[in-house]
Amino acid sequence: KWGLRALWTVLALGVLSLVAVGIAYARTDIPNANELATAQASIVYYSDGKTEMARLSDAEGNRESVPLSRVPDHMQKAMLAAEDQDFYQNNGISPTGIARAVWVAVKGGQATQGGSTITQQYVKNYFLTADRTLSRKAREILISLKIDQQQSKDQILENYLNTIYFGRGAYGIQAASQAYFGRDVQDLTVAQGAVLAAVIRAPSSYDPVEGPEAKVALEARVLDYVIPGMVEQGWLSETEAAEITRLPKIQDPKALN
């Protein structure tokens, strides 16, 4: 009898939990984008209309949004390899990542550690804040589920690429391409794209200008994680991967001043 009662109790709690999640999902609205996510730099050109003279922006507004069509396919795939290899198959969230975050919270650690999909990162950066709380994480999950239903995967990826922070004051893939390599995003090589995909994990820890340790960490993430991930998913051939044996030359930030 006790075993049967325990089973019914677990089932009842499960049903109540599903009902509670359903109600929360239905009552969750997608908020307006935050100001930082939509702020862009003002670019001043020489009389030829092409050569950049200056870039004017707030400290957190160095961004030039670009359509996904301008981002090379290898750059897109490098991002997926680094951050969310199942992006085009998942429903916007990572159940295993959420379970890890809950387990960490139960043990008294940070409630938002790891496991975020590209959609979740986009939602956090575009609509929410970086607060490390369970309530913010819960909203992130619910909004991510809704966004995945309302926007195409390509639109989500485009918005993500235009909002994620790459270090060097650069928000978005175009600003990052200029900050690290002094070129537009459509001109990135495979190796350069892999570098940009690698640094977003922790820009201050992977930017080579931070010192020898950062350079070693970046090399390891690019050559041992991002590139192999692209090969594993069939996005890069073994021959192409073998040609990338070292990091491409990264521009000195002082050269931009």
Side-chain angles (χ1 to χ4, degrees), residues 8-34:
W8 279 110
T9 299
V10 170
L11 290 175
L13 289 174
V15 171
L16 289 174
S17 297
L18 289 175
V19 171
V21 170
I23 293 174
Y25 177 83
R27 298 181 64 178
T28 297
D29 295 322
I30 297 176
N32 295 325
N34 61 57

Side-chain angles (χ1 to χ4, degrees), residues 79-122:
M79 281 292 186
L80 300 186
E83 295 296 311
D84 187 0
Q85 295 185 11
D86 297 323
F87 171 70
Y88 279 96
Q89 287 76 47
N90 64 43
N91 61 356
I93 64 172
S94 169
T96 56
I98 293 170
R100 284 197 300 272
V102 172
W103 178 244
V104 170
V106 169
K107 294 193 297 182
Q110 295 274 346
T112 59
Q113 290 184 356
S116 292
T117 63
I118 279 178
T119 305
Q120 288 176 255
Q121 293 180 55
Y122 157 53

